[in-house]
Amino acid sequence: MSRTSATTNAARNAVVELLRVSPVADDLATRFAAAGHRLYLVGGSVRDAMLGRLGNDLDFTTDARPREIMRIVTGWADAVWDTGIAFGTVGAAKHGAQCEITTFRADAYDRVSRNPEVQFGDTIEADLVRRDFTVNAMAIDLSTRQFIDPHDGLDALANRVLDTPATPQESFADDPLRMLRAARFVSQLGFTCAPRVLEALHEMAGEITRITAERVQAELSKLLCGAHPRTGVELLVDSGLAAHVLPELPSMRLEIDEHHQHKDVYEHSLVVLDQAVALETEGPDLVLRLAALLHDIGKPDTRRHVPGGGVSFHHHEVVGAKLVRKRLRALRYSKEVIEDVARLVFLHLRFHGYGKGEWTDSAVRRYVTDADDLLPRLHKLVRADCTTRNRRKASALQRTYDGLEERIARIAADEDLARVRPDLDGNEIMRLLDVPPGPLVGKAWTFLKELRLDQGPLEYDDAVAALRSWARAQGLGVAAADQGEPADADEVAGTGAEDEQR
């Protein structure tokens, strides 16, 4: 339902009032007017102003050509940059505001790539019709305070609907990235797509393959960090876009028959995403959200039917970590993001071996050490992964994890769990074994670290004795400091060969 005329006018007046108290916009408009040009606040800035979420990033458009824009803002702005000048955009900073000023555009697209043949336009109306969605096709003439809305963007905004100024088919053929932007706006703003937009998404999903992986990744990240990531993900999958950009997601929609019951992995993953978001304390966490969405990505490849009508997914966390690395690399995520998400996926199931607290202190140390700086995220992921509707079972799982966290805190109070290191450093290892730097020192260091994880901190003499015994077992001489007859390493601290939780 559209807004009443009075409500519409109030919204328009609110924007005008916002501009009245905006010295940067007013000052900039005055400079353009003095040079004989019009300046408009446009696109997302107008939309966000009406939604009450306008920040310091302001978008403007003008009839002035790029070089003239440069001349007007030089000497006024605190900083000016021209990295986008080939596309008609000049950037300027003033009093903390980041301004992007773009010459009217009337681009033509080859509809093979998404790169337009840049053409400058002469009217605001021609500029607005080429924009992605009607809610982004509104403008305000800063000289006259005239509100310009040729495509009913204000009504679409009032009804929280995404529609396109031209037909969706034309818009998406010009730039297929707009399809991902639709899903992103659904996530960020809580909008829904107009029926004709949904129809075009289904028809044209395959066109997204024209877009580079870097562009896809940027939109996917913004979608996942939105206020409603589940809704955005559902649009990706339902429209068919996910089949091209993140095919593992629709693959998690496993067929369930009456004999082989299990949770719907896709629906379960969406619930885990919701619950992980609810556990965030410092704003959107892309790594946590990716891990929550993809934690069971290995289940389709590991599903096995077992006698009695059951289903197993043995080692899906191992397979899942490999699939995460492969997919996120294809999407050009950074090495740090890839490794963090893959490690969380690999570790997310380990807690389920904890039982009712049967882990030894050694196993707890390994859990902490393997998670390392990801431990706070792992805590959230494991808790979010509890989606059972059985309240008693869910409560028991949460209490058990509370107990594990308490044990971690208790052991950490006695030992520096955040920085578990061998009791002897590399220099001491080289001195005791009389060896130069090299792979052997690394092997000895690893042995001592395993010993530390198994036994906790050792006295110096015990650590030395264990190292010497290990060296003899490797066929090494330890003449440099082999004084006395140390106890066998197995007697001192165990071999460290049993890795209860690896």
Side-chain angles (χ1 to χ4, degrees):
M1 182 180 296
S2 299
R3 290 184 174 184
T4 65
S5 178
T7 305
T8 298
N9 288 334
R12 294 176 179 174
N13 291 338
V15 175
V16 171
E17 178 62 15
L18 175 69
L19 294 172
R20 187 184 67 77
V21 298
S22 175
V24 170
D26 281 346
D27 194 11
L28 192 56
T30 299
R31 293 182 66 86
F32 272 80
H37 297 288
R38 308 294 284 269
L39 185 71
Y40 302 80
L41 188 72
V42 72
S45 291
V46 177
R47 179 200 70 218
D48 287 345
M50 293 187 172
L51 292 173
R53 60 195 299 270
L54 181 64
N56 292 323
D57 293 335
L58 302 176
D59 293 328
F60 301 92
T61 190
T62 179
D63 58 335
R65 294 308 193 243
R67 294 300 173 189
E68 180 68 2
I69 297 173
M70 286 287 293
R71 189 190 66 77
I72 293 171
V73 299
T74 299
W76 168 82
D78 299 328
V80 177
W81 55 95
D82 62 358
T83 51
I85 199 166
F87 298 95
T89 300
V90 173
K94 182 71 171 181
H95 298 326
Q98 303 294 316
C99 306
E100 284 201 347
I101 309 160
T102 303
T103 301
F104 292 157
R105 296 275 291 273
D107 300 335
Y109 290 81
D110 60 16
R111 298 192 174 180
V112 175
S113 68
R114 71 175 293 266
N115 299 319
E117 178 186 340
V118 177
Q119 296 177 8
F120 298 133
D122 297 311
T123 68
I124 184 63
E125 290 77 15
D127 180 88
L128 294 177
V129 76
R130 54 165 291 277
R131 293 181 178 266
D132 53 3
F133 299 105
T134 59
V135 294
N136 296 330
M138 299 179 285
I140 296 174
D141 186 329
L142 295 178
S143 297
T144 65
R145 296 291 196 265
Q146 180 187 3
F147 184 83
I148 302 168
D149 182 19
H151 305 289
D152 297 322
L154 191 58
D155 285 343
L157 191 67
N159 292 298
R160 308 186 80 79
V161 171
L162 283 177
D163 204 346
T164 52
T167 68
Q169 287 79 7
E170 290 177 285
S171 182
F172 298 158
D174 281 347
D175 185 359
L177 188 64
R178 290 170 175 171
M179 295 188 287
L180 281 184
R181 284 170 62 83
R184 191 242 290 185
F185 286 133
V186 164
S187 170
Q188 288 182 326
L189 304 174
F191 284 19
T192 58
C193 291
R196 68 174 191 159
V197 171
L198 287 175
E199 183 180 348
L201 288 174
H202 283 89
E203 290 175 4
M204 305 180 67
E207 293 292 310
I208 199 64
T209 56
R210 289 162 46 192
I211 305 302
T212 65
E214 291 83 359
R215 294 277 188 171
V216 170
Q217 178 246 101
E219 290 298 325
L220 179 61
S221 295
K222 291 175 183 177
L223 182 159
L224 287 175
C225 289
H228 313 278
R230 175 176 179 161
T231 311
V233 169
E234 288 174 327
L235 180 57
L236 283 184
V237 173
D238 294 342
S239 67
L241 285 167
H244 302 282
V245 301
L246 199 57
E248 293 79 6
L249 276 183
S251 294
M252 288 194 288
R253 283 176 156 170
L254 299 181
E255 180 180 350
I256 302 174
D257 62 53
E258 60 180 331
H259 302 295
H260 298 96
Q261 291 293 321
H262 58 83
K263 289 180 180 177
D264 181 285
V265 180
Y266 169 68
E267 290 295 331
H268 163 74
S269 298
L270 293 179
V271 174
V272 174
L273 174 61
D274 279 342
Q275 295 186 164
V277 169
L279 291 172
E280 291 174 340
T281 56
E282 298 180 1
D285 183 337
L286 177 63
V287 167
L288 176 63
R289 294 184 182 200
L290 279 168
L293 182 63
L294 303 177
H295 74 287
D296 278 346
I297 195 177
K299 279 191 171 180
D301 287 352
T302 58
R303 181 171 68 158
R304 300 291 181 271
H305 293 157
V306 298
V311 176
S312 71
F313 302 97
H314 292 312
H315 304 303
H316 75 268
E317 75 283 9
V318 178
V319 173
K322 292 178 180 177
L323 290 174
V324 161
R325 287 190 176 94
K326 181 179 179 181
R327 177 53 52 197
L328 297 190
R329 284 187 190 121
L331 288 170
R332 303 292 193 270
Y333 276 97
S334 69
K335 181 179 179 181
E336 292 74 19
V337 169
I338 293 170
E339 289 307 310
D340 284 353
V341 176
R343 186 145 51 108
L344 286 171
V345 170
F346 179 75
L347 293 173
H348 85 273
L349 205 60
R350 186 174 295 188
F351 162 71
H352 294 283
Y354 186 71
K356 295 183 179 179
E358 288 87 353
W359 278 2
T360 63
D361 284 355
S362 170
V364 175
R365 290 188 197 98
R366 290 181 185 280
Y367 188 72
V368 173
T369 302
D370 288 349
D372 198 23
D373 59 339
L374 291 174
L375 185 62
R377 284 174 168 142
L378 183 59
H379 288 333
K380 293 183 177 73
L381 178 59
V382 172
R383 290 184 182 278
D385 195 24
C386 175
T387 62
T388 178
R389 295 179 181 179
N390 184 319
R391 291 186 179 182
R392 191 161 70 177
K393 183 178 179 181
S395 180
L397 282 170
Q398 297 297 347
R399 285 198 305 272
T400 302
Y401 204 84
D402 288 342
L404 174 57
E405 289 202 57
E406 290 168 4
R407 282 187 69 185
I408 291 172
R410 187 168 63 251
I411 296 172
D414 298 326
E415 310 170 23
D416 188 3
L417 283 184
R419 301 184 51 159
V420 172
R421 297 289 185 272
D423 294 285
L424 305 174
D425 65 16
N427 290 328
E428 190 71 353
I429 290 170
M430 289 187 287
R431 185 185 72 78
L432 289 167
L433 299 185
D434 192 24
V435 295
L440 179 61
V441 178
K443 291 180 180 179
W445 190 93
T446 299
F447 163 75
L448 290 171
K449 180 176 179 179
E450 294 293 314
L451 206 58
R452 169 71 184 272
L453 288 170
D454 283 337
Q455 299 291 327
L458 297 177
E459 296 294 333
Y460 176 79
D461 288 345
D462 290 339
V464 170
L467 175 65
R468 289 173 176 163
S469 188
W470 173 85
R472 281 196 295 273
Q474 304 299 309
L476 303 174
V478 289
D482 196 5
Q483 302 171 356
E485 195 63 31
D488 186 271
D490 289 349
E491 297 173 359
V492 173
T495 63
E498 292 89 25
D499 186 351
E500 300 170 61
Q501 292 298 317
R502 178 150 298 186

